[in-house]
Amino acid sequence: MAGSDCSGGAGIQADLKAFSANETFGMSVITSVVAENTTRVLSVFNVPVEEIQKQIDAVFEDIHVDAVKLGMLPTAEIISAVADKLNEYKPSIIVCDPVMVATSGDALSEGGTVSTMREKLFPIVTLLTPNIPEAEAISGLEIKNENHMPNTHGTGCTLSSAITANLAHGMDMLSAVTKAKNYITEAIEKSFTVGKGHSPVNHFYDYYDLKGTIL
C-alpha cells in the first residue's frame, strides 16, 4: 500500500520490483499518484479514501496475504482508513515504511500524519523502517550522524519491501532484515544512471547486467 512513482524508481513500482526479485508475488493498493522524477516532485494526487478501501477489500477478499508493506500514506484520513482495514483483516505481518519526504527533498505527506500514525498505525505494525529524517519527525529528537549518507532514489521502499518479502517466506526477523540489507547494498553498488538526479537502485542485478542483457 503506497504511492505510485511514474519514474519507476520508488513507491509501488520499486515495491513490486523488490518483491519479484525476492521471489514473492506482489499486489498493490495505490494511495497516491505522484508525478515525480529523479530530481523533483511535480504534483501529488491522493486517491479518494473510498477507492483505497475498495482496493484493500479486492485483494483480501480473494487472495491470501502473507505480509503487508505500507509506504506513502499521505493524509491522516488515509492513515486512519488503512489502519481500520488492517484491523479488520488482521494480516500477520505488517512492515511500515513511513514515507514523508521524497529523496529530492519534496514533502509527500500533509500535516497531522505523524500523530495519526503514532496513534492508529504504529501499535499494529510488526516492523517500522524510517530513514533518519522520518525517525526525527516521529521521535521529535535530533539524530546525529555522518554528514554524507547513501541517498539513492527508492532505497527505503526497496529495503522495506525486501524485508516484507523475506518475512512472507517465513524467515525470522533477524534473517529477514539481514538478507534484505545485503540485497539493497548490492542493488546500490550495481545501480546505473537514470535521469539527472538521484538514480534508482538496480532491483534485478542478479538477472540483468547494466546494459539490460539477461544473465
Side-chain angles (χ1 to χ4, degrees):
M1 304 181 192
S4 171
D5 169 16
C6 61
S7 67
I12 285 288
Q13 286 83 343
D15 295 335
L16 293 175
K17 291 174 184 178
F19 292 151
S20 296
N22 287 274
E23 303 177 353
T24 305
F25 180 77
M27 299 165 282
S28 63
V29 172
I30 307 295
T31 60
S32 185
V33 178
V34 183
E36 70 173 320
N37 52 39
T38 62
T39 64
R40 68 187 181 116
V41 173
L42 285 72
S43 66
V44 175
F45 176 78
N46 295 332
V47 175
V49 170
E50 296 78 10
E51 293 302 318
I52 294 172
Q53 292 170 321
K54 288 176 183 177
Q55 291 179 76
I56 297 172
D57 288 335
V59 171
F60 275 93
E61 73 181 20
D62 183 48
I63 303 168
H64 174 72
V65 177
D66 291 302
V68 171
K69 182 269 170 86
L70 303 176
M72 179 183 175
L73 303 175
T75 69
E77 185 182 15
I78 289 174
I79 292 168
S80 294
V82 167
D84 289 344
K85 281 296 180 183
L86 292 173
N87 280 317
E88 176 183 346
Y89 289 108
K90 301 187 185 310
S92 58
I93 298 168
I94 304 172
V95 176
C96 179
D97 178 20
V99 176
M100 299 174 189
V101 180
T103 300
S104 62
D106 295 295
L108 294 174
S109 63
E110 298 178 359
T113 58
V114 173
S115 60
T116 307
M117 281 184 178
R118 285 200 200 104
E119 178 186 350
K120 300 206 68 174
L121 205 56
F122 294 167
I124 63 172
V125 303
T126 310
L127 179 68
L128 190 64
T129 63
N131 60 25
I132 289 174
E134 290 158 355
E136 288 181 326
I138 292 166
S139 66
L141 302 173
E142 183 180 357
I143 298 173
K144 304 287 187 181
N145 211 329
E146 297 178 3
N147 292 327
H148 181 70
M149 298 289 296
N151 196 22
T152 306
H153 190 52
T155 50
C157 304
T158 301
L159 175 63
S160 57
S161 294
I163 294 171
T164 306
N166 294 335
L167 291 172
H169 280 292
M171 289 186 187
D172 62 82
M173 184 63 72
L174 180 58
S175 299
V177 172
T178 300
K179 184 180 179 184
K181 176 58 175 67
N182 293 336
Y183 167 71
I184 190 62
T185 298
E186 197 150 4
I188 292 171
E189 290 176 348
K190 296 181 179 177
S191 62
F192 49 92
T193 301
V194 174
K196 302 172 184 176
H198 301 285
S199 295
V201 302
N202 183 4
H203 295 87
F204 298 108
Y205 61 82
D206 262 351
Y207 305 95
Y208 302 90
D209 65 19
L210 298 185
K211 297 180 180 178
T213 304
I214 298 178
L215 298 176

